[in-house]
Amino acid sequence: MIRCIRRAAAFCLLLLVALLVNAARIQLFEASSLDDNPANRRNTIARYDQARGDILVGDEPVTGSEDTGEQLAHERTYRHGPLYAPVTGYASQTYGTSLLENAEDDVLNGTASVLAPLPLWGDITRSRQPGGNVVTTVKASVQRAAYEGLAGRRGAAVALDPATGAILALVSSPSYDPQRLSGTGPSVTGAWAELNAAASRPMLNRAIRQTYPPGSAFKIVTAAAALDAGVVTDPDAATDTPSPYVLPGTTTTLPDEARGCEEASLAEAIRVSCNTVMAHLGVQVGLDGMLEAAGRFGFNDDGLRIPSGVSRSNFDSDMSDDQLAQSSIGQFDTTATPLQMAMVASAVANGGELRRPHLVDRITDHDGRTVRREGSDEYREAMEPSTARQLQRMMVDVVENGTGTRAAIDGVRVGGKTGTAQHGVDNTGTPYAWFISWAQDPGSGDPAVAVAVVVEDAAAKRADVSGGGNAAPIARAVMEAALGGAE
């Protein structure tokens, strides 16, 4: 009898050990997969059990959290939702997160390691800290100037601080209110369906996720390539370019809309926007040289993040000379995000040095203590300093005497470049109106702001669309706001 009891006890002990081993196995090796199982709602309930941290513009939160009393307790709220939607994105209990709400989600939901009181605290305790805050680089007055300038028209505007790469404004138009997507239920699913079905695509972040043919605004890149490569040594000297220009290897002629482009100098070609001169210079630089020059400005970079991902701006690596000629004036397959074109203007303004664009200034804990600060990093050396100085002079001439006069600001040194980009089958689509520009601080002479604006106004008459007419006044308003000093 005693022997049977002993055997039973040993068997029970064996079962207990097996149970403990299995529990340890689950805790150590399967916990993550169980946590991530869609059927497990405990993480979701815990996620919304506490208020989400805020996204700030200056010292003001542009987000908030509301306790709904439901099982998923805290629902995201947005102040001036459409104004800042291209910055914040959405945080939805139904559809997840996007843009900054996604890129800094661990900070905002309290799971980031920088918020923990001790190293590995979160891994050991599996606990959340109160949500941290994300302080952006956006300047409220600049953001509003860009938003109101676009006035609901399809397009985008980006403003950068050339000296640091800080993004001062990031606007996509038309926009939407992300609060419509915050919760659950029929109203949220209905809003999601409506926004995704809208022909104007309000949820598309045109500033960083849409690429356009940059048109003549790209001529600044071609001019930099020609000067750096020594193809042009004197920007004021005549070139040997006919007008119209026969594309190499074809019988197709490239015309000029501007007058006086035959054998025009580089400076004159930038001032009045000669297609022929810039296309010819691109061919003279050659594919390898143009590809390298475009890359120095950020084209063909698949990994650019601000911290949200940015769509790749494209300059083809395999082209015939006639295609290269078209690409050198921002046509053919050349495409760019508005952020990319703001980077082009920024590099010129900053003496050839391109700083990495970034949208986050610092991360703070729930009590406002800074736990991480984003640095100002060099991204690329886009051109020689001497080339940048020459391009500055040429871009100032565009604003003072050329196609960009509507961007001029009294008492301020402003440089710019217009662009009217053809697109569609046989270029039948309404052109996109571009303007890229920069302005110097009148007090210090330092570069204060670089701007890119694109307007894709499908309602406008084709003949009325131009970078100088449609986009330059918006850029001027943005630069004035940046120079004004007010938040």
Side-chain angles (χ1 to χ4, degrees):
M1 186 68 179
I2 294 176
R3 184 180 300 174
C4 292
I5 293 173
R6 288 176 177 172
R7 289 176 178 174
F11 183 67
C12 289
L13 179 60
L14 181 62
L15 290 177
L16 178 61
V17 170
L19 184 63
L20 293 173
V21 169
N22 188 58
R25 178 183 63 82
I26 291 172
Q27 290 287 334
L28 294 174
F29 301 108
E30 295 188 13
S32 296
S33 63
L34 292 173
D35 282 345
D36 296 337
N37 191 311
N40 181 9
R41 286 179 53 83
R42 296 182 65 178
N43 273 352
T44 304
I45 293 169
R47 176 185 178 90
Y48 297 108
D49 191 48
Q50 67 178 27
R52 191 169 173 83
D54 282 322
I55 297 172
L56 282 73
V57 171
D59 295 326
E60 296 296 323
V62 297
T63 60
S65 292
E66 178 186 5
D67 190 346
T68 63
E70 303 292 334
Q71 187 179 52
L72 304 183
H74 287 90
E75 191 173 297
R76 195 57 148 169
T77 61
Y78 294 89
R79 300 177 178 89
H80 315 296
L83 174 62
Y84 292 111
V87 175
T88 63
Y90 57 79
S92 171
Q93 294 176 349
T94 305
Y95 297 107
T97 56
S98 70
L99 299 178
L100 207 51
E101 293 274 28
N102 176 264
E104 299 291 355
D105 185 55
D106 60 343
V107 169
L108 296 166
N109 69 30
T111 60
S113 59
V114 293
L115 301 175
L118 296 170
L120 303 178
W121 180 262
D123 293 333
I124 296 169
T125 65
R126 305 181 66 80
S127 63
R128 293 173 183 265
Q129 301 303 309
N133 300 319
V134 177
V135 183
T136 71
T137 57
V138 172
K139 191 174 181 181
S141 59
V142 183
Q143 181 81 2
R144 188 168 291 280
Y147 181 78
E148 292 178 351
L150 284 165
R153 290 175 291 176
R154 297 186 198 184
V158 179
L160 298 173
D161 181 340
T164 65
I167 296 174
L168 306 178
L170 190 74
V171 171
S172 178
S173 179
S175 190
Y176 71 103
D177 187 353
Q179 190 162 328
R180 297 181 65 194
L181 305 176
S182 292
T184 59
S187 63
V188 171
T189 54
W192 178 266
E194 174 195 325
L195 291 169
N196 279 285
S200 61
R201 304 178 71 191
M203 292 179 68
L204 170 65
N205 191 327
R206 290 172 164 88
I208 62 171
R209 298 282 172 84
Q210 178 67 48
T211 58
Y212 303 87
S216 294
F218 186 81
K219 291 173 182 175
I220 297 301
V221 177
T222 302
L227 289 165
D228 275 353
V231 170
V232 173
T233 55
D234 181 359
D236 298 307
T239 62
D240 60 351
T241 308
S243 180
Y245 170 64
V246 179
L247 295 176
T250 75
T251 58
T252 303
T253 57
L254 179 68
D256 283 303
E257 293 187 12
R259 295 181 179 179
C261 287
E262 185 168 2
E263 298 185 351
S265 67
L266 172 61
E268 181 68 5
I270 293 295
R271 185 179 74 84
V272 300
S273 204
C274 297
N275 288 334
T276 52
V277 172
M278 303 311 298
H280 187 204
L281 288 178
V283 173
Q284 289 181 300
V285 170
L287 177 58
D288 289 344
M290 284 298 300
L291 189 62
E292 181 183 353
R296 290 198 297 268
F297 282 95
F299 283 82
N300 299 334
D301 184 352
D302 292 307
L304 183 61
R305 304 188 68 84
I306 61 170
S308 304
V310 179
S311 293
R312 178 182 188 267
S313 296
N314 181 70
F315 190 85
D316 277 1
S317 60
D318 184 11
M319 290 184 280
S320 58
D321 281 350
D322 62 308
Q323 294 168 339
L324 176 60
Q326 296 174 70
S327 294
S328 299
I329 59 171
Q331 296 290 163
F332 188 55
D333 287 338
T334 301
T335 57
T337 62
L339 173 64
Q340 172 63 76
M341 295 311 295
M343 291 163 63
V344 171
S346 180
V348 175
N350 200 41
E353 183 183 343
L354 180 57
R355 309 299 291 183
R356 184 176 295 277
H358 59 279
L359 189 55
V360 175
D361 176 61
R362 63 189 186 276
I363 301 299
T364 72
D365 64 15
H366 181 68
D367 296 319
R369 292 185 292 267
T370 298
V371 295
R372 189 179 82 213
R373 186 174 291 276
E374 299 295 332
S376 172
D377 300 326
E378 182 179 353
Y379 175 60
R380 303 278 168 85
E381 193 71 30
M383 69 197 92
E384 295 292 333
S386 59
T387 294
R389 288 193 294 271
Q390 294 178 87
L391 283 175
Q392 287 174 9
R393 176 176 65 86
M394 287 183 262
M395 291 180 75
V396 168
D397 198 27
V398 169
V399 173
E400 293 182 350
N401 306 298
T403 57
T405 55
R406 296 187 68 183
I409 302 172
D410 289 343
V412 178
R413 188 171 187 243
V414 176
K417 182 67 189 80
T418 54
T420 306
Q422 311 292 335
H423 72 103
V425 178
D426 296 326
N427 292 333
T428 56
T430 302
Y432 298 133
W434 279 95
F435 194 75
I436 63 172
S437 61
W438 48 265
Q440 288 184 336
D441 186 329
S444 67
D446 294 332
V449 62
V451 178
V453 177
V454 63
V455 181
E456 44 167 309
D457 190 356
K461 294 181 180 178
R462 182 183 175 89
D464 293 340
V465 176
S466 71
N470 294 65
I474 302 172
R476 171 184 169 144
V478 173
M479 290 187 289
E480 287 178 326
L483 293 165
E487 285 295 324

